[in-house]
Amino acid sequence: MSLLVIANWKANPKTQIEAKKLAKAIHQYLVKSKKTAVLAVPAPFFDAIKSLKSKRIILGAQDISSFSTGAHTGETPGEILKSFGVNYVIIGHSERRALGEPHAVVNQKILKALSLGITPVVCIGELSREHLDRALSFVRLQIETALVGISRTKITKVVIAYEPVWAISSNNGRQATPEECNEMIVYIRKTIADIYGQTIAKQIRILYGGSVSGKKDATDFAKHGGAQGFLVGRASLDPSSFSTILSV
Ligand code: PGA
């Protein structure tokens, strides 16, 4: 399985011109290396990214409304994302959960994305690792509530991003070790197996996210951390760092 690398630009950069410049630099690397990457960018930049007509950049969004089109001021329904050619959407990022997004809404958003054929990238991760038993039950609850009502045929379309909240760069945390990452990825897979069985659990792609900054740690997380790809925040805003991650 080749690695899936997703850039999470968060609320960056400041202008459309900068967004295009950044995407262009990433595109150049992708063409040279014959790789692909998902760029999950702020919705106002969708057109700028699309204007590059890059076959190697896959368009991603950072959120999706749980509602369909209609009288929902401020929401961005999946139907609109779909019309822009969005193929992946980050759901339940810790920065959204911290604003009060409840488990049930995360679940509705996943169901919505799946119904439209958009791949949900579901963020799962404990706030602290101090007490492992608490961290495990926190992660289990996030998974069980996220996957309510997802059929056995649809579940294999879901991508999980294990993002320990304490390891995300903006929290000034330390990076997880590949061993810590592996331990939790094994547990996430076991939790999925408890619901859907081993065969299905083995097919689910699990990424790691949290201060992945370059080739060395990407290699370590892929080799020893059980990660089948990365969700990259800060380093995805720097084409040369992001390229070294993509080179793994
Ligand atoms: P980071 O962000 O790579 O800056 O830690 C990852 C994320 O929040 O998705």
Side-chain angles (χ1 to χ4, degrees):
M1 191 187 262
S2 62
L3 297 172
L4 171 66
V5 181
I6 304 178
N8 176 11
W9 282 6
K10 308 194 179 185
N12 295 294
K14 268 201 187 102
T15 67
Q16 179 152 306
I17 293 172
E18 285 174 79
K20 206 165 166 177
K21 203 170 138 203
L22 183 53
K24 237 186 201 161
I26 294 170
H27 167 74
Q28 272 166 6
Y29 173 77
L30 293 172
V31 170
K32 216 170 54 192
S33 60
K34 297 195 171 62
K35 300 216 173 201
T36 54
V38 178
L39 302 191
V41 306
F45 296 150
F46 286 166
D47 260 345
I49 307 300
K50 278 181 61 178
S51 72
L52 296 178
K53 297 195 183 340
S54 170
K55 290 202 177 75
R56 304 207 162 266
I57 293 177
I58 302 163
L59 193 58
Q62 296 172 17
D63 195 17
I64 181 172
S65 176
S66 55
F67 300 107
S68 296
T69 46
H72 307 292
T73 304
E75 295 285 324
T76 310
E79 290 80 357
I80 298 179
L81 297 180
K82 190 87 191 161
S83 80
F84 275 92
V86 166
N87 279 307
Y88 284 78
V89 61
I90 298 170
I91 297 177
H93 191 279
S94 58
E95 285 151 17
R96 300 218 59 79
R97 294 187 194 255
L99 294 173
E101 185 162 279
H103 295 313
V105 172
V106 170
N107 172 246
Q108 284 160 18
K109 289 179 173 182
I110 300 169
L111 291 169
K112 196 80 211 169
L114 288 171
S115 75
L116 292 163
I118 300 173
T119 302
V121 180
V122 183
C123 299
I124 299 289
E126 74 283 4
L127 303 176
S128 148
R129 189 80 171 218
E130 225 174 290
H131 303 282
L132 187 60
D133 52 339
R134 275 187 230 164
L136 295 177
S137 47
F138 188 87
V139 161
R140 177 173 280 270
L141 179 70
Q142 282 187 330
I143 297 168
E144 287 174 347
T145 52
L147 302 185
V148 170
I150 298 175
S151 67
R152 297 175 68 80
T153 43
K154 288 274 170 74
I155 184 66
T156 51
K157 311 256 176 346
V158 172
V159 172
I160 303 282
Y162 168 53
E163 293 210 309
V165 179
W166 50 268
I168 291 177
S169 67
S170 49
N171 296 337
N172 283 325
R174 66 168 177 91
Q175 211 178 38
T177 63
E179 292 69 31
E180 285 170 325
C181 175
N182 188 55
E183 183 176 41
M184 202 55 98
I185 285 183
V186 166
Y187 184 73
I188 289 171
R189 224 178 269 293
K190 185 196 172 306
T191 306
I192 297 172
D194 289 344
I195 309 171
Y196 294 96
Q198 285 278 2
T199 315
I200 285 182
K202 275 193 201 142
Q203 294 170 48
I204 310 285
R205 188 191 280 274
I206 306 182
L207 316 177
Y208 170 75
S211 302
V212 177
S213 59
K215 183 171 182 148
K216 188 189 173 310
D217 39 77
T219 307
D220 285 350
F221 281 114
K223 269 203 177 147
H224 310 293
Q228 295 161 318
F230 306 102
L231 183 55
V232 185
R234 188 184 295 178
S236 72
L237 297 168
D238 172 18
S240 61
S241 307
F242 192 56
S243 302
T244 68
I245 295 168
L246 284 162
S247 74
V248 172

